[in-house]
Amino acid sequence: MWWGGRGQSFNIAPQKEEPEMGLSGPKSVQGSRMPERRSRQLGSCMSSGCLPGEQILAWAPGMRKGLEPELPGTLICTNLRVTFQPCGWQRSQETPLSSEYDFALVNVGRVEAVSGLSRIQLLRPGSLLKFIPEEILIHGRDFRLLRVGFEAGGLEPQAFQVTMAIVQARAQSRQAQQYAGITLSKAGQRSSSRKPPIPLLEILEDWETERKKQGAKGWRVSTVNERFDVATSLPRYFWVPNRTLDNEIRRAFGHFHQGRGPRLSWHHPGGSDLLRCGGFYTASDPNKEDIRTVELMLQAGHSDVVLVDTMDELPSLADVQLAHLRLRDLCLPDSSVAEDKWLSALEGTRWLDYVRSCLRKASDISVLVTSRVRSVVLQERGDRDFNGLLSSLVQLLSAPEARTLLGFQSLVQREWVAAGHPFLTRLGGTGASEEAPVFLLFLDCVWQLLQQFPAEFEFSEFFLLALQDSVRVPDTLTFLRDTPWERGKQSGQLNSYTQVYTPGYSQPSAGNSVNQKLSVWDWDLRYSNEQILQFHNPGYDPEHCPGSWLPRQQPSFMVPGPPSSVWLFSRGALTPLHQLCPWRDSPSLLAVSSRWLPRPAISSESLADQEWGLPSHWGACPLPPGLLLPGYLGPQIRLWRRCYLRGRPEVQMGLSAPTVSGLQDELSHLQELLRKWTPRISPEDHSKKRDPNTILSQSC
């Protein structure tokens, strides 16, 4: 986690039957007695008790290295996490999963054992450790590194045991995927029928409320996928045009990849509609009525329609994964890149290039949505990755309510969780080859916007860090399933998976589940009140709240597009199309290519220049109310140091504090350093130094 854990308490109690790791794996020590010295050592460092249901697999005393000063303590492996407990340090029971010393098993990326100066073994599932380790390196997927050296003098078997326990527990956690949602101590104090912090969009009423909130009068909530028989990756409910019937929707969606047909993503107050859909399934054979329905859904009641080729000029999933791996290798404390070559190596990862590409494309789409009253359709083959990224960024750029704390959480829940982004696969939870942290790329883009427009966002950098950390914490189902169908099925069958119950409360019967509505947005289950206060941006200007935004339907601001116009937006330019659907007027379906759309040349001017005659990155002309156009040239895109360099405390020094009082303390500290470092000179010398003639005479 991103908050330091000093002053908090960690509670792990010895089990009735302590498992011990042998050379060939875990073995029970029941019937044998633990040496008295080891028993006292275990009792002194694990005095209060585990999380309910948590079991200690192995432990070993050691020294955490790589930090100054080095910390003596104990390395502990349980069935939920790997943690290092410094001597004399304790964790708060109110936030038992929030610590800089914890690595959830799902967050462990790579484990290395070290012996001597040159003997290093990478430990994979099923591998056998070939030597007694002197050190163990645990590489976190969240850019942290836990490096622990083990004590000598008869404790080598413990070092071997805890190392093998980590490897085996990590492998078993991936196979079983036993993350059904952990009920923490605060959860038991709540009613099971409590209202979630934000609408989870799992019931029809939530979708209807959100539709009315957006003012989407020409749309309705469809129940055609209520039993997930249209597409398991789609939510049970979504928005479709009023005039389309459910049986028409069912047939029309069958002509799109994975059954993900066009749905409303967001209705702009000025009248435009932002839609998203999968790629055309050109091997299908639609009749004329199906084609007409598809066109009506894409037009959404508008005469001006723009079809956006989402993946044009954006990286592939493989590119994103490779860039993220390179960035992680570069930013970890044990990186071998020399300091004078670090910036060029950062450029070589291409991660910032991909952030820049996403921001530029989102800016152009925002111009499309806000410059004319039209239908803008985001089309990606799978409709589960970059469509969500671009749609979310467009709403952040165009809608001030999306920049509030609750508004942003609702945005993520709607465009990512409910829309079926495959979190588990993309974040490496299944071991599949389709791993690509698209959601983390989105969070980086949001951080860039926060840096460029600090007064426009109610949430802070620390909220983004908490959200990034939450994708790999096994305490909710929000980010640990690939589809709404899997998430809904899991929440109704918690009894078949690992359940962790709250002490002091009776356990429910076998047929009932615990806190089915527990989500990642229940922040107070994992963070203290002081930490949650840091989620709020102290520089947020309340004048930018949604109440001061433009009223619904302003014809003076947004004008209708050309009559019956169809456009393709690709490579930064708008190109006219003859029809929306690739099947119309096609002599043979076999002749229809998946790349049926024309490929225009890359435009040298931004879309803002074409639409308004103003450069998008300068903002020389007045923008529509509420619209942000970020810069994406060169140094305007920065490295998220507090996130990616979190394993280097020396680099974190000098970064802005999260609160006003923290900023005052930091300012006082910097002023004190200036007084110490600035040489004392007399007022006369000071006036001479500022006199231009004196400077000229000295230079001669």
Side-chain angles (χ1 to χ4, degrees), residues 388-417:
L389 183 147
L390 291 177
S391 176
S392 300
L393 289 180
V394 168
Q395 294 178 57
L396 284 172
L397 294 175
S398 308
E401 62 261 32
R403 303 171 206 148
T404 64
L405 188 58
L406 291 179
F408 183 77
Q409 293 176 122
S410 298
L411 175 69
V412 173
Q413 183 71 26
R414 185 177 70 252
E415 298 296 332
W416 293 87
V417 180

PDB file of all heavy atoms in Angstrom, residues 388-417:
ATOM      1  N   GLY A 388     -13.413   1.688 -23.245  1.00  0.00           N
ATOM      2  CA  GLY A 388     -13.643   2.167 -21.883  1.00  0.00           C
ATOM      3  C   GLY A 388     -12.675   3.264 -21.494  1.00  0.00           C
ATOM      4  O   GLY A 388     -13.052   4.233 -20.823  1.00  0.00           O
ATOM      5  N   LEU A 389     -11.422   3.134 -21.908  1.00  0.00           N
ATOM      6  CA  LEU A 389     -10.419   4.155 -21.592  1.00  0.00           C
ATOM      7  C   LEU A 389     -10.785   5.491 -22.228  1.00  0.00           C
ATOM      8  O   LEU A 389     -10.802   6.537 -21.569  1.00  0.00           O
ATOM      9  CB  LEU A 389      -9.043   3.680 -22.059  1.00  0.00           C
ATOM     10  CG  LEU A 389      -7.845   4.581 -21.748  1.00  0.00           C
ATOM     11  CD1 LEU A 389      -6.597   3.736 -21.494  1.00  0.00           C
ATOM     12  CD2 LEU A 389      -7.549   5.559 -22.880  1.00  0.00           C
ATOM     13  N   LEU A 390     -11.091   5.486 -23.527  1.00  0.00           N
ATOM     14  CA  LEU A 390     -11.403   6.731 -24.224  1.00  0.00           C
ATOM     15  C   LEU A 390     -12.729   7.324 -23.752  1.00  0.00           C
ATOM     16  O   LEU A 390     -12.845   8.541 -23.567  1.00  0.00           O
ATOM     17  CB  LEU A 390     -11.431   6.496 -25.730  1.00  0.00           C
ATOM     18  CG  LEU A 390     -10.081   6.186 -26.382  1.00  0.00           C
ATOM     19  CD1 LEU A 390     -10.251   5.906 -27.866  1.00  0.00           C
ATOM     20  CD2 LEU A 390      -9.097   7.328 -26.173  1.00  0.00           C
ATOM     21  N   SER A 391     -13.723   6.485 -23.575  1.00  0.00           N
ATOM     22  CA  SER A 391     -15.006   6.983 -23.096  1.00  0.00           C
ATOM     23  C   SER A 391     -14.867   7.650 -21.733  1.00  0.00           C
ATOM     24  O   SER A 391     -15.453   8.715 -21.483  1.00  0.00           O
ATOM     25  CB  SER A 391     -16.021   5.839 -23.032  1.00  0.00           C
ATOM     26  OG  SER A 391     -17.244   6.274 -22.499  1.00  0.00           O
ATOM     27  N   SER A 392     -14.087   7.056 -20.848  1.00  0.00           N
ATOM     28  CA  SER A 392     -13.889   7.631 -19.513  1.00  0.00           C
ATOM     29  C   SER A 392     -13.141   8.952 -19.593  1.00  0.00           C
ATOM     30  O   SER A 392     -13.498   9.927 -18.911  1.00  0.00           O
ATOM     31  CB  SER A 392     -13.127   6.637 -18.632  1.00  0.00           C
ATOM     32  OG  SER A 392     -13.832   5.418 -18.502  1.00  0.00           O
ATOM     33  N   LEU A 393     -12.086   9.003 -20.407  1.00  0.00           N
ATOM     34  CA  LEU A 393     -11.325  10.240 -20.530  1.00  0.00           C
ATOM     35  C   LEU A 393     -12.160  11.351 -21.154  1.00  0.00           C
ATOM     36  O   LEU A 393     -12.065  12.520 -20.748  1.00  0.00           O
ATOM     37  CB  LEU A 393     -10.064  10.001 -21.366  1.00  0.00           C
ATOM     38  CG  LEU A 393      -8.956   9.176 -20.714  1.00  0.00           C
ATOM     39  CD1 LEU A 393      -7.775   9.024 -21.666  1.00  0.00           C
ATOM     40  CD2 LEU A 393      -8.492   9.810 -19.406  1.00  0.00           C
ATOM     41  N   VAL A 394     -12.985  11.018 -22.144  1.00  0.00           N
ATOM     42  CA  VAL A 394     -13.842  12.028 -22.766  1.00  0.00           C
ATOM     43  C   VAL A 394     -14.789  12.620 -21.732  1.00  0.00           C
ATOM     44  O   VAL A 394     -15.016  13.846 -21.693  1.00  0.00           O
ATOM     45  CB  VAL A 394     -14.621  11.418 -23.941  1.00  0.00           C
ATOM     46  CG1 VAL A 394     -15.730  12.349 -24.404  1.00  0.00           C
ATOM     47  CG2 VAL A 394     -13.684  11.106 -25.101  1.00  0.00           C
ATOM     48  N   GLN A 395     -15.345  11.801 -20.882  1.00  0.00           N
ATOM     49  CA  GLN A 395     -16.259  12.314 -19.862  1.00  0.00           C
ATOM     50  C   GLN A 395     -15.526  13.155 -18.829  1.00  0.00           C
ATOM     51  O   GLN A 395     -16.056  14.159 -18.338  1.00  0.00           O
ATOM     52  CB  GLN A 395     -16.995  11.153 -19.199  1.00  0.00           C
ATOM     53  CG  GLN A 395     -17.929  10.420 -20.149  1.00  0.00           C
ATOM     54  CD  GLN A 395     -18.627   9.245 -19.511  1.00  0.00           C
ATOM     55  OE1 GLN A 395     -19.316   9.402 -18.506  1.00  0.00           O
ATOM     56  NE2 GLN A 395     -18.476   8.064 -20.096  1.00  0.00           N
ATOM     57  N   LEU A 396     -14.288  12.777 -18.492  1.00  0.00           N
ATOM     58  CA  LEU A 396     -13.509  13.588 -17.567  1.00  0.00           C
ATOM     59  C   LEU A 396     -13.176  14.949 -18.166  1.00  0.00           C
ATOM     60  O   LEU A 396     -13.162  15.965 -17.467  1.00  0.00           O
ATOM     61  CB  LEU A 396     -12.216  12.863 -17.190  1.00  0.00           C
ATOM     62  CG  LEU A 396     -12.341  11.711 -16.198  1.00  0.00           C
ATOM     63  CD1 LEU A 396     -11.020  10.975 -16.073  1.00  0.00           C
ATOM     64  CD2 LEU A 396     -12.783  12.226 -14.836  1.00  0.00           C
ATOM     65  N   LEU A 397     -12.903  14.976 -19.461  1.00  0.00           N
ATOM     66  CA  LEU A 397     -12.575  16.233 -20.121  1.00  0.00           C
ATOM     67  C   LEU A 397     -13.804  17.113 -20.331  1.00  0.00           C
ATOM     68  O   LEU A 397     -13.688  18.338 -20.355  1.00  0.00           O
ATOM     69  CB  LEU A 397     -11.912  15.959 -21.476  1.00  0.00           C
ATOM     70  CG  LEU A 397     -10.538  15.293 -21.452  1.00  0.00           C
ATOM     71  CD1 LEU A 397     -10.070  14.979 -22.865  1.00  0.00           C
ATOM     72  CD2 LEU A 397      -9.519  16.179 -20.747  1.00  0.00           C
ATOM     73  N   SER A 398     -14.972  16.504 -20.478  1.00  0.00           N
ATOM     74  CA  SER A 398     -16.163  17.253 -20.881  1.00  0.00           C
ATOM     75  C   SER A 398     -17.165  17.481 -19.769  1.00  0.00           C
ATOM     76  O   SER A 398     -17.976  18.409 -19.856  1.00  0.00           O
ATOM     77  CB  SER A 398     -16.872  16.516 -22.033  1.00  0.00           C
ATOM     78  OG  SER A 398     -15.979  16.229 -23.088  1.00  0.00           O
ATOM     79  N   ALA A 399     -17.159  16.658 -18.723  1.00  0.00           N
ATOM     80  CA  ALA A 399     -18.195  16.719 -17.688  1.00  0.00           C
ATOM     81  C   ALA A 399     -17.581  16.993 -16.320  1.00  0.00           C
ATOM     82  O   ALA A 399     -16.904  16.119 -15.761  1.00  0.00           O
ATOM     83  CB  ALA A 399     -18.983  15.409 -17.656  1.00  0.00           C
ATOM     84  N   PRO A 400     -17.783  18.180 -15.735  1.00  0.00           N
ATOM     85  CA  PRO A 400     -17.225  18.464 -14.405  1.00  0.00           C
ATOM     86  C   PRO A 400     -17.700  17.503 -13.329  1.00  0.00           C
ATOM     87  O   PRO A 400     -16.958  17.244 -12.373  1.00  0.00           O
ATOM     88  CB  PRO A 400     -17.713  19.895 -14.139  1.00  0.00           C
ATOM     89  CG  PRO A 400     -17.896  20.496 -15.483  1.00  0.00           C
ATOM     90  CD  PRO A 400     -18.395  19.371 -16.348  1.00  0.00           C
ATOM     91  N   GLU A 401     -18.920  16.960 -13.453  1.00  0.00           N
ATOM     92  CA  GLU A 401     -19.385  16.041 -12.409  1.00  0.00           C
ATOM     93  C   GLU A 401     -18.575  14.759 -12.373  1.00  0.00           C
ATOM     94  O   GLU A 401     -18.494  14.092 -11.342  1.00  0.00           O
ATOM     95  CB  GLU A 401     -20.871  15.719 -12.585  1.00  0.00           C
ATOM     96  CG  GLU A 401     -21.198  15.015 -13.892  1.00  0.00           C
ATOM     97  CD  GLU A 401     -21.716  15.956 -14.940  1.00  0.00           C
ATOM     98  OE1 GLU A 401     -21.300  17.121 -14.944  1.00  0.00           O
ATOM     99  OE2 GLU A 401     -22.553  15.525 -15.762  1.00  0.00           O
ATOM    100  N   ALA A 402     -17.950  14.384 -13.494  1.00  0.00           N
ATOM    101  CA  ALA A 402     -17.102  13.191 -13.512  1.00  0.00           C
ATOM    102  C   ALA A 402     -15.801  13.423 -12.772  1.00  0.00           C
ATOM    103  O   ALA A 402     -15.098  12.460 -12.453  1.00  0.00           O
ATOM    104  CB  ALA A 402     -16.815  12.770 -14.951  1.00  0.00           C
ATOM    105  N   ARG A 403     -15.465  14.669 -12.486  1.00  0.00           N
ATOM    106  CA  ARG A 403     -14.215  14.992 -11.794  1.00  0.00           C
ATOM    107  C   ARG A 403     -14.390  15.078 -10.295  1.00  0.00           C
ATOM    108  O   ARG A 403     -13.427  15.346  -9.579  1.00  0.00           O
ATOM    109  CB  ARG A 403     -13.648  16.313 -12.334  1.00  0.00           C
ATOM    110  CG  ARG A 403     -13.414  16.301 -13.821  1.00  0.00           C
ATOM    111  CD  ARG A 403     -13.058  17.693 -14.321  1.00  0.00           C
ATOM    112  NE  ARG A 403     -13.437  17.834 -15.723  1.00  0.00           N
ATOM    113  CZ  ARG A 403     -13.829  18.955 -16.289  1.00  0.00           C
ATOM    114  NH1 ARG A 403     -13.894  20.067 -15.569  1.00  0.00           N
ATOM    115  NH2 ARG A 403     -14.158  18.995 -17.564  1.00  0.00           N
ATOM    116  N   THR A 404     -15.615  14.894  -9.807  1.00  0.00           N
ATOM    117  CA  THR A 404     -15.826  14.815  -8.367  1.00  0.00           C
ATOM    118  C   THR A 404     -15.469  13.409  -7.889  1.00  0.00           C
ATOM    119  O   THR A 404     -15.329  12.477  -8.686  1.00  0.00           O
ATOM    120  CB  THR A 404     -17.278  15.132  -8.014  1.00  0.00           C
ATOM    121  OG1 THR A 404     -18.133  14.128  -8.594  1.00  0.00           O
ATOM    122  CG2 THR A 404     -17.678  16.506  -8.541  1.00  0.00           C
ATOM    123  N   LEU A 405     -15.332  13.259  -6.587  1.00  0.00           N
ATOM    124  CA  LEU A 405     -14.931  11.968  -6.037  1.00  0.00           C
ATOM    125  C   LEU A 405     -15.977  10.899  -6.312  1.00  0.00           C
ATOM    126  O   LEU A 405     -15.661   9.810  -6.817  1.00  0.00           O
ATOM    127  CB  LEU A 405     -14.679  12.108  -4.539  1.00  0.00           C
ATOM    128  CG  LEU A 405     -14.060  10.900  -3.826  1.00  0.00           C
ATOM    129  CD1 LEU A 405     -12.723  10.532  -4.455  1.00  0.00           C
ATOM    130  CD2 LEU A 405     -13.876  11.194  -2.346  1.00  0.00           C
ATOM    131  N   LEU A 406     -17.227  11.191  -6.015  1.00  0.00           N
ATOM    132  CA  LEU A 406     -18.284  10.215  -6.265  1.00  0.00           C
ATOM    133  C   LEU A 406     -18.521  10.040  -7.758  1.00  0.00           C
ATOM    134  O   LEU A 406     -18.799   8.930  -8.228  1.00  0.00           O
ATOM    135  CB  LEU A 406     -19.571  10.645  -5.565  1.00  0.00           C
ATOM    136  CG  LEU A 406     -19.571  10.586  -4.035  1.00  0.00           C
ATOM    137  CD1 LEU A 406     -20.904  11.069  -3.483  1.00  0.00           C
ATOM    138  CD2 LEU A 406     -19.272   9.177  -3.543  1.00  0.00           C
ATOM    139  N   GLY A 407     -18.422  11.122  -8.515  1.00  0.00           N
ATOM    140  CA  GLY A 407     -18.639  11.028  -9.954  1.00  0.00           C
ATOM    141  C   GLY A 407     -17.601  10.169 -10.641  1.00  0.00           C
ATOM    142  O   GLY A 407     -17.930   9.393 -11.551  1.00  0.00           O
ATOM    143  N   PHE A 408     -16.360  10.270 -10.202  1.00  0.00           N
ATOM    144  CA  PHE A 408     -15.311   9.459 -10.814  1.00  0.00           C
ATOM    145  C   PHE A 408     -15.488   7.987 -10.465  1.00  0.00           C
ATOM    146  O   PHE A 408     -15.282   7.105 -11.307  1.00  0.00           O
ATOM    147  CB  PHE A 408     -13.934   9.947 -10.356  1.00  0.00           C
ATOM    148  CG  PHE A 408     -12.788   9.212 -10.985  1.00  0.00           C
ATOM    149  CD1 PHE A 408     -12.413   9.481 -12.290  1.00  0.00           C
ATOM    150  CD2 PHE A 408     -12.091   8.238 -10.287  1.00  0.00           C
ATOM    151  CE1 PHE A 408     -11.354   8.805 -12.885  1.00  0.00           C
ATOM    152  CE2 PHE A 408     -11.042   7.560 -10.866  1.00  0.00           C
ATOM    153  CZ  PHE A 408     -10.671   7.847 -12.170  1.00  0.00           C
ATOM    154  N   GLN A 409     -15.855   7.690  -9.233  1.00  0.00           N
ATOM    155  CA  GLN A 409     -16.087   6.300  -8.847  1.00  0.00           C
ATOM    156  C   GLN A 409     -17.246   5.710  -9.641  1.00  0.00           C
ATOM    157  O   GLN A 409     -17.186   4.557 -10.084  1.00  0.00           O
ATOM    158  CB  GLN A 409     -16.354   6.225  -7.345  1.00  0.00           C
ATOM    159  CG  GLN A 409     -15.144   6.579  -6.500  1.00  0.00           C
ATOM    160  CD  GLN A 409     -15.443   6.586  -5.010  1.00  0.00           C
ATOM    161  OE1 GLN A 409     -14.825   5.864  -4.238  1.00  0.00           O
ATOM    162  NE2 GLN A 409     -16.389   7.391  -4.592  1.00  0.00           N
ATOM    163  N   SER A 410     -18.303   6.491  -9.838  1.00  0.00           N
ATOM    164  CA  SER A 410     -19.429   6.024 -10.643  1.00  0.00           C
ATOM    165  C   SER A 410     -19.011   5.809 -12.086  1.00  0.00           C
ATOM    166  O   SER A 410     -19.471   4.861 -12.743  1.00  0.00           O
ATOM    167  CB  SER A 410     -20.582   7.036 -10.572  1.00  0.00           C
ATOM    168  OG  SER A 410     -21.053   7.185  -9.248  1.00  0.00           O
ATOM    169  N   LEU A 411     -18.134   6.667 -12.590  1.00  0.00           N
ATOM    170  CA  LEU A 411     -17.631   6.532 -13.960  1.00  0.00           C
ATOM    171  C   LEU A 411     -16.871   5.224 -14.134  1.00  0.00           C
ATOM    172  O   LEU A 411     -17.080   4.485 -15.101  1.00  0.00           O
ATOM    173  CB  LEU A 411     -16.740   7.727 -14.289  1.00  0.00           C
ATOM    174  CG  LEU A 411     -16.019   7.691 -15.646  1.00  0.00           C
ATOM    175  CD1 LEU A 411     -17.024   7.836 -16.782  1.00  0.00           C
ATOM    176  CD2 LEU A 411     -14.968   8.791 -15.711  1.00  0.00           C
ATOM    177  N   VAL A 412     -15.982   4.918 -13.197  1.00  0.00           N
ATOM    178  CA  VAL A 412     -15.212   3.670 -13.275  1.00  0.00           C
ATOM    179  C   VAL A 412     -16.142   2.472 -13.153  1.00  0.00           C
ATOM    180  O   VAL A 412     -15.988   1.464 -13.861  1.00  0.00           O
ATOM    181  CB  VAL A 412     -14.126   3.643 -12.181  1.00  0.00           C
ATOM    182  CG1 VAL A 412     -13.440   2.285 -12.133  1.00  0.00           C
ATOM    183  CG2 VAL A 412     -13.095   4.739 -12.426  1.00  0.00           C
ATOM    184  N   GLN A 413     -17.113   2.541 -12.265  1.00  0.00           N
ATOM    185  CA  GLN A 413     -18.034   1.420 -12.095  1.00  0.00           C
ATOM    186  C   GLN A 413     -18.834   1.165 -13.362  1.00  0.00           C
ATOM    187  O   GLN A 413     -19.054   0.007 -13.746  1.00  0.00           O
ATOM    188  CB  GLN A 413     -18.990   1.721 -10.925  1.00  0.00           C
ATOM    189  CG  GLN A 413     -19.950   0.602 -10.591  1.00  0.00           C
ATOM    190  CD  GLN A 413     -19.267  -0.595  -9.945  1.00  0.00           C
ATOM    191  OE1 GLN A 413     -18.217  -0.468  -9.315  1.00  0.00           O
ATOM    192  NE2 GLN A 413     -19.853  -1.782 -10.100  1.00  0.00           N
ATOM    193  N   ARG A 414     -19.231   2.236 -14.058  1.00  0.00           N
ATOM    194  CA  ARG A 414     -20.069   2.085 -15.244  1.00  0.00           C
ATOM    195  C   ARG A 414     -19.259   1.698 -16.478  1.00  0.00           C
ATOM    196  O   ARG A 414     -19.630   0.780 -17.217  1.00  0.00           O
ATOM    197  CB  ARG A 414     -20.828   3.397 -15.508  1.00  0.00           C
ATOM    198  CG  ARG A 414     -21.816   3.311 -16.663  1.00  0.00           C
ATOM    199  CD  ARG A 414     -22.582   4.595 -16.845  1.00  0.00           C
ATOM    200  NE  ARG A 414     -21.776   5.694 -17.338  1.00  0.00           N
ATOM    201  CZ  ARG A 414     -21.393   6.746 -16.628  1.00  0.00           C
ATOM    202  NH1 ARG A 414     -21.756   6.843 -15.355  1.00  0.00           N
ATOM    203  NH2 ARG A 414     -20.660   7.708 -17.154  1.00  0.00           N
ATOM    204  N   GLU A 415     -18.144   2.406 -16.747  1.00  0.00           N
ATOM    205  CA  GLU A 415     -17.404   2.222 -17.993  1.00  0.00           C
ATOM    206  C   GLU A 415     -16.382   1.099 -17.941  1.00  0.00           C
ATOM    207  O   GLU A 415     -15.896   0.658 -18.987  1.00  0.00           O
ATOM    208  CB  GLU A 415     -16.704   3.534 -18.376  1.00  0.00           C
ATOM    209  CG  GLU A 415     -17.644   4.694 -18.643  1.00  0.00           C
ATOM    210  CD  GLU A 415     -18.544   4.450 -19.833  1.00  0.00           C
ATOM    211  OE1 GLU A 415     -18.137   3.699 -20.741  1.00  0.00           O
ATOM    212  OE2 GLU A 415     -19.669   4.990 -19.854  1.00  0.00           O
ATOM    213  N   TRP A 416     -16.052   0.617 -16.745  1.00  0.00           N
ATOM    214  CA  TRP A 416     -15.044  -0.445 -16.633  1.00  0.00           C
ATOM    215  C   TRP A 416     -15.623  -1.711 -16.007  1.00  0.00           C
ATOM    216  O   TRP A 416     -15.553  -2.786 -16.606  1.00  0.00           O
ATOM    217  CB  TRP A 416     -13.850   0.060 -15.820  1.00  0.00           C
ATOM    218  CG  TRP A 416     -13.070   1.134 -16.490  1.00  0.00           C
ATOM    219  CD1 TRP A 416     -13.315   2.481 -16.445  1.00  0.00           C
ATOM    220  CD2 TRP A 416     -11.928   0.973 -17.342  1.00  0.00           C
ATOM    221  NE1 TRP A 416     -12.393   3.154 -17.207  1.00  0.00           N
ATOM    222  CE2 TRP A 416     -11.529   2.268 -17.757  1.00  0.00           C
ATOM    223  CE3 TRP A 416     -11.202  -0.133 -17.777  1.00  0.00           C
ATOM    224  CZ2 TRP A 416     -10.434   2.476 -18.598  1.00  0.00           C
ATOM    225  CZ3 TRP A 416     -10.103   0.062 -18.604  1.00  0.00           C
ATOM    226  CH2 TRP A 416      -9.738   1.355 -19.010  1.00  0.00           C
ATOM    227  N   VAL A 417     -16.171  -1.576 -14.799  1.00  0.00           N
ATOM    228  CA  VAL A 417     -16.629  -2.765 -14.074  1.00  0.00           C
ATOM    229  C   VAL A 417     -17.894  -3.325 -14.721  1.00  0.00           C
ATOM    230  O   VAL A 417     -17.939  -4.494 -15.137  1.00  0.00           O
ATOM    231  CB  VAL A 417     -16.869  -2.425 -12.592  1.00  0.00           C
ATOM    232  CG1 VAL A 417     -17.336  -3.665 -11.833  1.00  0.00           C
ATOM    233  CG2 VAL A 417     -15.599  -1.869 -11.962  1.00  0.00           C
TER     234      VAL A 417
END
